[in-house]
Amino acid sequence: MRKYVTIPDIRQYPSYRSSNARLLYIHVAMGMEISTRTYAHSLRQLSAELGLPFQQIRTALKQLENDGLVATQSLTQVVTYGLTRKVTHNVTQIYVMSVSELEEASNAASNTATNTATNTATNTATNTDINNKNILNSGKLSHSDARARLQKIREWLLGSLGLEGPEADELSKAFLDRQELKGKTWDNEGDLLAHAISWAEKRMKPKKTVKKSDSQARTDEYQRDQEQRNQASDKEKDWEEVAKVYRWWKEAEKNKNQELAEFQRQAYEDLRQAWEKKYQPQKAS
């Protein structure tokens, strides 16, 4: 049966100028569940399907989120291998905003801008307090939360980018100062980590390196790629099984096959717990 989806005209949004963001938006919209307008996949799976690097997928998704075209939520899924082997995977559920929702958001933004222009300083302070409470209630990290993690951000930069201590200190403090001016918030600690590393990476001082031969450079690159593949392959393959059973469960629910849905739900839960026990023992315990 041919599938039809309804999506808004997004040409006026900044993310439309990004070819990666456009491709990701169309891909997700075409693959979403029509009734719920949701699409649940891992970012690495999207990377493989679209032939784009993982970092570009993450950047494109963030651009769509910033424009309010999609909303995301992290989910844990369990997939059954065969009859007994169960594996847990982390996936990102992407919700595609409808035309009416975008129109409501646009009207709300317009009204907010008008009201802000006429509010007094007292009202502005009150609204700021309310916004801060909303941030706490939504689970987002405020700038104060980020400041409290200054030492952790420094350690992230040291470990991820191989920086020297003074440079890590300088970049971590500069990052927080810049984000404070922007009024930036983060979805969670992982989002803060990714943003800090990406920001610092673009501003690192160039290091003097010994030029390698082309053959040696290719050999090193191949070895690094193989190591990364070997480390991630088993975990990701097992998670694909978790995600598969999750989809079977949801399809059974959609088809109102309660007996099969309950069986698949139990299989999903068991497999996810087994995956967590194997790959996230601290969480499982």
Side-chain angles (χ1 to χ4, degrees):
M1 178 181 294
R2 186 180 296 274
K3 179 181 179 181
Y4 295 92
V5 297
T6 302
I7 59 175
D9 182 350
I10 65 169
R11 288 176 294 178
Q12 73 273 26
Y13 291 91
S15 57
Y16 184 79
R17 294 193 292 269
S18 167
S19 59
N20 291 342
R22 289 199 306 272
L23 176 60
L24 178 61
Y25 181 79
I26 293 173
H27 184 78
V28 170
M30 296 302 102
M32 69 180 177
E33 288 286 342
I34 300 299
S35 59
T36 62
R37 299 188 70 84
T38 58
Y39 182 84
H41 271 55
S42 70
L43 296 188
R44 293 196 180 278
Q45 191 173 1
L46 282 171
S47 174
E49 291 177 358
L50 295 178
L52 295 174
F54 175 81
Q55 183 59 46
Q56 292 184 19
I57 290 291
R58 186 164 58 182
T59 299
L61 184 58
K62 181 59 66 176
Q63 290 173 326
L64 295 174
E65 282 190 278
N66 290 340
D67 283 350
L69 294 172
V70 302
T72 63
Q73 180 182 7
S74 296
L75 297 177
T76 302
Q77 295 182 345
V78 176
V79 174
T80 301
Y81 287 93
L83 295 177
T84 59
R85 187 183 178 194
K86 295 177 171 53
V87 179
T88 303
H89 289 283
N90 293 322
V91 299
T92 299
Q93 178 172 278
I94 305 173
Y95 176 80
V96 182
M97 298 294 178
S98 65
V99 176
S100 60
E101 287 172 325
L102 288 177
E103 289 177 348
E104 290 175 3
S106 177
N107 292 336
S110 177
N111 293 335
T112 300
T114 302
N115 292 335
T116 301
T118 58
N119 281 342
T120 62
T122 301
N123 289 335
T124 300
T126 301
N127 291 336
T128 300
D129 182 59
I130 292 174
N131 290 336
N132 289 337
K133 291 179 180 178
N134 288 339
I135 289 172
L136 292 175
N137 292 335
S138 66
K140 287 181 175 291
L141 295 182
S142 67
H143 188 268
S144 297
D145 297 323
R147 283 283 183 190
R149 291 166 171 77
L150 174 61
Q151 183 60 30
K152 185 172 289 188
I153 293 174
R154 178 183 181 276
E155 293 172 358
W156 286 340
L157 299 185
L158 287 171
S160 300
L161 302 180
L163 299 176
E164 299 294 334
E167 189 175 4
D169 290 337
E170 179 182 348
L171 286 174
S172 57
K173 292 176 182 177
F175 168 75
L176 291 174
D177 290 341
R178 183 66 60 85
Q179 304 318 309
E180 182 176 17
L181 293 175
K182 294 181 178 180
K184 174 68 177 174
T185 62
W186 297 268
D187 293 337
N188 48 51
E189 192 169 274
D191 185 28
L192 172 63
L193 161 63
H195 188 192
I197 291 177
S198 176
W199 188 91
E201 191 173 20
K202 296 175 182 178
R203 294 161 177 80
M204 289 172 54
K205 296 177 182 178
K207 297 181 179 180
K208 296 181 179 180
T209 57
V210 178
K211 187 175 181 180
K212 300 180 180 179
S213 66
D214 290 342
S215 60
Q216 183 61 44
R218 285 194 295 270
T219 300
D220 292 347
E221 182 178 359
Y222 174 79
Q223 290 176 345
R224 287 194 300 270
D225 183 65
Q226 288 299 113
E227 289 174 358
Q228 292 175 354
R229 288 177 181 272
N230 291 337
Q231 291 172 0
S233 60
D234 289 343
K235 183 177 180 180
E236 292 180 354
K237 287 178 181 178
D238 288 348
W239 181 249
E240 289 303 324
E241 290 297 324
V242 177
K244 180 171 65 177
V245 171
Y246 178 83
R247 291 194 297 271
W248 290 347
W249 168 27
K250 292 303 178 181
E251 287 174 3
E253 284 188 340
K254 183 178 179 181
N255 295 330
K256 298 183 179 180
N257 189 336
Q258 298 300 326
E259 183 177 355
L260 179 59
E262 178 59 25
F263 174 80
Q264 294 294 355
R265 185 197 67 77
Q266 186 60 51
Y268 162 74
E269 294 293 342
D270 293 343
L271 192 55
R272 184 184 67 181
Q273 291 175 10
W275 189 92
E276 290 178 349
K277 184 177 181 180
K278 181 177 180 181
Y279 296 107
Q280 298 177 344
Q282 293 180 347
K283 181 177 180 180
S285 59

